Amino acid sequence: MSSITDQIKAELTAKNAVLVAHYYVSAELQVLAEESGGVVSDSLEMARFGQNCAADTIIVAGVKFMGETAKILSPEKTVLVLDEGATCSLDEDCQIDEFSKFCDQHADRTVVVYANTSAAVKARADWVVTSGSALKVVKHLKNQGKKILWAPDKHLGNYVKNETGADMLLWQGSCVVHERFKADALANLKIHHPEAAVLVHPESPQAVVDLADVIGSTTALINAVRDRPEQTFIIATDNGIFHKMREVAPNKTLIEAPTAGQGADCESCAHCEWMAMNTLENCLSTITTGKNEIKIDASVNQKAQNSIQKLLDFTA
């Protein structure tokens, strides 16, 4: 009997489908995506890959907003997610009705939202940004004299505000994974590993960011492990990223930044429970049945596409 990965590859071929996977899903899904002609990347690049490939169907191994982003850029294609219950605390903490009221109360501000949001929130925004592009976009808007309403991640927003000096009003969302990192425990770990470079995703609290040698997006952190001279790295982001880091730098030592605090039951438990809902089994089931399809109202899709297109044009 053929393995489950062989069955998935056969289904992908038969249905002219492509598997796109986020850096935070399991290593086996990341390997499968690349072996079957798909991609492993961050959420926007996953969507752009789906848009630019010849597949009729995009299978998204990630969370719901990533499926929506893929659908926004490829409205004519079928987009399926592996588990419709796999969501994101940033998305959940920024519901469209409440967010729209907030925007209406501050109508003088340019609305900039992070990619980790629903299609409806993206449609309400003027700009969509990624963690890798946020600084450049906000600097650009500041230079134009714009005041900014930022959502949903308060930590990323605070980092961008501090770095750019822009006038930013922050929505108070946060990532359940990155919020767990503990600055005092990280400082202690640095003492034990003085040779290590500390890599931090800017969704982390400010006190953690302050201890970093590199602050950046998932892609930037992977590139830092590959390119920097240090042989040891302490990494403050979802530990799903370790698979790709080990692939690009197999001889380097990777240490998880600590999440342990008072009453913690693990030293470092930085893995998104929703990302963990993506499995080979539900990948096969989704492709076979066509379930978990992402559908977005056409007018919402068009407005969200416009907000994303501003970023794509700006970074081109």
Side-chain angles (χ1 to χ4, degrees):
M1 184 179 169
S2 64
S3 69
I4 189 166
T5 55
D6 289 337
Q7 292 175 63
I8 293 168
K9 287 175 186 176
E11 288 287 338
L12 288 169
T13 302
K15 294 189 164 63
N16 191 27
V18 68
L19 176 63
V20 297
H22 193 269
Y23 292 124
Y24 294 165
V25 300
S26 68
E28 56 195 13
L29 278 167
Q30 293 186 49
V31 169
L32 176 59
E34 292 186 326
E35 284 184 352
S36 60
V39 75
V40 179
S41 195
D42 59 30
S43 62
L44 184 57
E45 286 308 309
M46 287 161 64
R48 292 184 77 184
F49 185 91
Q51 179 186 33
N52 294 326
C53 74
D56 298 317
T57 299
I58 305 167
I59 313 291
V60 177
V63 294
K64 185 183 175 186
F65 82 80
M66 296 176 183
E68 289 189 341
T69 305
K71 185 66 176 178
I72 290 163
L73 292 189
S74 302
E76 77 290 352
K77 296 187 179 185
T78 300
V79 176
L80 310 176
V81 293
L82 301 197
D83 192 314
E84 60 185 358
T87 185
C88 167
S89 59
L90 289 170
D91 184 355
E92 294 298 313
D93 288 348
C94 191
Q95 295 296 314
I96 185 57
D97 291 347
E98 201 179 338
F99 182 65
S100 283
K101 285 179 195 165
F102 188 61
C103 293
D104 291 342
Q105 287 162 5
H106 304 281
D108 59 324
R109 292 181 177 265
T110 299
V111 179
V112 179
V113 303
Y114 187 32
N116 299 33
T117 44
S118 67
V121 167
K122 288 180 174 75
R124 184 65 178 78
D126 299 300
W127 287 76
V128 173
V129 298
T130 61
S131 53
S133 62
L135 285 175
K136 289 177 187 170
V137 170
V138 170
K139 277 179 191 167
H140 167 70
L141 294 173
K142 183 198 172 195
N143 291 339
Q144 291 185 324
K146 307 279 192 189
K147 294 193 294 181
I148 292 157
L149 186 155
W150 168 275
D153 191 288
K154 64 184 179 182
H155 295 307
L156 178 56
N158 186 56
Y159 168 70
V160 172
K161 184 177 182 177
N162 290 342
E163 291 293 310
T164 62
D167 181 339
M168 293 174 66
L169 183 63
L170 308 181
W171 185 266
Q172 294 296 302
S174 64
C175 167
V176 290
V177 175
H178 292 93
E179 186 138 82
R180 290 190 193 122
F181 291 115
K182 303 291 188 292
D184 53 351
L186 177 55
N188 190 47
L189 189 61
K190 281 182 71 172
I191 293 167
H192 288 90
H193 297 277
E195 78 289 1
V198 177
L199 312 184
V200 173
H201 194 285
E203 286 178 31
S204 305
Q206 185 63 47
V208 174
V209 170
D210 289 342
L211 295 170
D213 297 296
V214 176
I215 304 153
S217 65
T218 47
T219 303
L221 299 186
I222 291 164
N223 292 343
V225 168
R226 183 192 65 198
D227 298 337
R228 284 180 67 98
E230 294 91 350
Q231 291 302 299
T232 303
F233 295 88
I234 298 169
I235 296 145
T237 192
D238 189 292
N239 61 26
I241 205 172
F242 278 48
H243 168 71
K244 184 56 70 175
M245 287 178 167
R246 290 187 182 110
E247 204 173 75
V248 300
N251 298 319
K252 296 191 176 180
T253 300
L254 308 178
I255 301 168
E256 292 187 45
T259 57
Q262 213 164 5
D265 55 7
C266 62
E267 186 67 24
S268 184
C269 39
H271 187 50
C272 174
E273 62 193 70
W274 292 299
M275 287 289 186
M277 291 165 71
N278 291 269
T279 65
L280 289 174
E281 288 74 20
N282 61 16
C283 184
L284 179 59
S285 173
T286 296
I287 299 170
T288 305
T289 63
K291 65 182 179 181
N292 304 334
E293 183 175 355
I294 297 290
K295 294 182 185 292
I296 303 171
D297 179 82
S299 65
V300 170
N301 208 324
Q302 186 57 59
K303 288 175 186 170
Q305 198 176 91
N306 293 343
S307 301
I308 294 174
Q309 195 59 47
K310 273 189 193 167
L311 172 65
L312 298 181
D313 292 343
F314 178 76
T315 55

Coordinates of all heavy atoms in Angstrom, one line a residue, residues 72-73 119 122-128 298-314:
I72 N -8.0 35.8 -1.9 CA -8.0 37.2 -2.3 C -7.2 37.4 -3.6 O -7.6 38.1 -4.5 CB -7.5 38.1 -1.2 CG1 -8.5 38.2 0.0 CG2 -7.3 39.6 -1.7 CD1 -8.0 38.7 1.3
L73 N -6.0 36.8 -3.7 CA -5.2 37.0 -4.8 C -5.5 36.1 -6.0 O -5.1 36.3 -7.1 CB -3.7 36.8 -4.4 CG -3.1 37.8 -3.5 CD1 -1.6 37.6 -3.4 CD2 -3.3 39.2 -4.0
A119 N -10.2 38.6 5.7 CA -10.5 39.3 4.5 C -11.3 40.5 4.7 O -11.0 41.6 4.1 CB -11.2 38.3 3.5
K122 N -9.0 43.2 6.0 CA -8.2 43.7 5.0 C -8.9 44.6 4.0 O -8.4 45.6 3.5 CB -7.6 42.5 4.2 CG -6.5 41.7 4.9 CD -6.0 40.6 4.0 CE -4.8 39.8 4.7 NZ -5.2 39.0 5.8
A123 N -10.2 44.3 3.8 CA -11.0 45.1 2.9 C -11.3 46.5 3.5 O -11.5 47.5 2.8 CB -12.4 44.4 2.6
R124 N -11.3 46.6 4.8 CA -11.6 47.9 5.5 C -10.3 48.7 5.5 O -10.4 49.9 5.8 CB -12.1 47.6 6.9 CG -12.5 48.8 7.7 CD -13.7 49.5 7.1 NE -14.1 50.6 7.9 CZ -13.6 51.8 7.9 NH1 -12.5 52.1 7.1 NH2 -14.1 52.8 8.6
A125 N -9.2 48.1 5.3 CA -7.9 48.8 5.4 C -7.5 49.6 4.2 O -8.0 49.3 3.1 CB -6.8 47.8 5.7
D126 N -6.6 50.6 4.3 CA -6.0 51.3 3.2 C -4.8 50.5 2.7 O -4.5 50.5 1.5 CB -5.6 52.7 3.6 CG -6.8 53.5 4.1 OD1 -7.7 53.7 3.3 OD2 -6.8 54.0 5.2
W127 N -4.1 49.9 3.6 CA -2.9 49.1 3.3 C -2.9 47.8 4.1 O -3.3 47.8 5.3 CB -1.6 49.9 3.7 CG -1.2 51.0 2.9 CD1 -1.8 52.3 2.9 CD2 -0.2 51.1 1.9 NE1 -1.2 53.1 2.0 CE2 -0.1 52.4 1.4 CE3 0.8 50.2 1.5 CZ2 0.8 52.8 0.5 CZ3 1.7 50.6 0.5 CH2 1.7 51.9 0.0
V128 N -2.4 46.7 3.5 CA -2.0 45.5 4.2 C -0.5 45.4 4.1 O 0.1 45.7 3.1 CB -2.6 44.3 3.5 CG1 -2.1 43.0 4.1 CG2 -4.2 44.3 3.6
A298 N -17.6 38.8 -3.2 CA -16.8 39.4 -4.3 C -16.4 40.8 -4.0 O -15.3 41.2 -4.3 CB -17.6 39.3 -5.6
S299 N -17.3 41.6 -3.4 CA -16.9 43.0 -3.2 C -15.9 43.1 -2.1 O -15.0 44.0 -2.1 CB -18.2 43.8 -2.8 OG -18.7 43.3 -1.5
V300 N -16.0 42.2 -1.1 CA -15.0 42.2 0.0 C -13.6 41.8 -0.6 O -12.6 42.4 -0.3 CB -15.4 41.2 1.1 CG1 -14.2 41.0 2.1 CG2 -16.6 41.7 1.9
N301 N -13.7 40.8 -1.5 CA -12.4 40.3 -2.1 C -11.7 41.4 -2.9 O -10.5 41.6 -2.8 CB -12.8 39.1 -3.0 CG -11.6 38.1 -3.2 OD1 -10.4 38.5 -3.2 ND2 -11.9 36.9 -3.2
Q302 N -12.5 42.1 -3.6 CA -11.9 43.2 -4.5 C -11.3 44.3 -3.6 O -10.2 44.7 -3.9 CB -13.0 43.8 -5.4 CG -12.4 44.8 -6.4 CD -11.3 44.2 -7.3 OE1 -11.6 43.3 -8.0 NE2 -10.1 44.8 -7.2
K303 N -12.0 44.7 -2.5 CA -11.4 45.8 -1.7 C -10.1 45.3 -1.0 O -9.2 46.0 -0.8 CB -12.5 46.2 -0.6 CG -13.6 47.0 -1.2 CD -14.7 47.3 -0.1 CE -15.9 48.0 -0.7 NZ -17.0 48.0 0.2
A304 N -10.2 44.0 -0.5 CA -9.0 43.4 0.1 C -7.8 43.3 -0.8 O -6.7 43.6 -0.5 CB -9.3 42.1 0.7
Q305 N -8.2 42.9 -2.1 CA -7.1 42.8 -3.1 C -6.5 44.2 -3.4 O -5.3 44.3 -3.5 CB -7.8 42.3 -4.4 CG -6.8 41.8 -5.4 CD -7.5 41.2 -6.6 OE1 -7.7 41.9 -7.6 NE2 -7.8 39.9 -6.5
N306 N -7.3 45.3 -3.4 CA -6.7 46.6 -3.5 C -5.7 47.0 -2.4 O -4.7 47.6 -2.7 CB -7.9 47.6 -3.6 CG -8.8 47.5 -4.8 OD1 -8.4 46.9 -5.8 ND2 -10.0 48.1 -4.7
S307 N -6.1 46.6 -1.2 CA -5.2 46.9 -0.1 C -3.9 46.2 -0.1 O -2.8 46.7 0.2 CB -5.9 46.6 1.3 OG -7.1 47.3 1.4
I308 N -3.9 44.9 -0.6 CA -2.7 44.1 -0.8 C -1.9 44.6 -2.0 O -0.7 44.7 -1.9 CB -3.1 42.6 -0.9 CG1 -3.7 42.1 0.4 CG2 -1.8 41.8 -1.3 CD1 -4.2 40.6 0.3
Q309 N -2.6 45.0 -3.0 CA -1.9 45.4 -4.2 C -1.1 46.6 -4.0 O 0.0 46.8 -4.6 CB -3.0 45.7 -5.4 CG -2.3 45.8 -6.8 CD -1.5 44.5 -7.2 OE1 -2.0 43.4 -7.0 NE2 -0.3 44.7 -7.6
K310 N -1.6 47.5 -3.1 CA -0.8 48.7 -2.7 C 0.6 48.3 -2.2 O 1.6 48.9 -2.6 CB -1.5 49.5 -1.7 CG -2.5 50.5 -2.2 CD -2.9 51.4 -1.0 CE -4.2 52.2 -1.5 NZ -4.8 52.9 -0.4
L311 N 0.6 47.3 -1.4 CA 1.9 46.8 -0.8 C 2.7 46.1 -1.9 O 3.9 46.4 -2.0 CB 1.6 45.7 0.3 CG 2.9 45.0 0.8 CD1 3.8 45.9 1.5 CD2 2.5 43.8 1.7
L312 N 2.1 45.3 -2.8 CA 2.9 44.7 -3.9 C 3.5 45.7 -4.8 O 4.6 45.5 -5.3 CB 2.0 43.7 -4.6 CG 1.4 42.5 -3.8 CD1 0.5 41.6 -4.6 CD2 2.5 41.7 -3.1
D313 N 2.7 46.7 -5.1 CA 3.2 47.8 -6.0 C 4.4 48.5 -5.3 O 5.4 48.9 -6.0 CB 2.1 48.8 -6.4 CG 1.1 48.1 -7.3 OD1 1.3 47.0 -7.9 OD2 0.0 48.7 -7.4
F314 N 4.2 48.8 -4.0 CA 5.2 49.6 -3.3 C 6.5 48.8 -3.2 O 7.6 49.4 -3.2 CB 4.6 49.9 -1.9 CG 5.6 50.6 -1.0 CD1 5.8 52.0 -1.1 CD2 6.2 50.0 0.0 CE1 6.7 52.7 -0.3 CE2 7.1 50.6 0.9 CZ 7.3 52.0 0.7

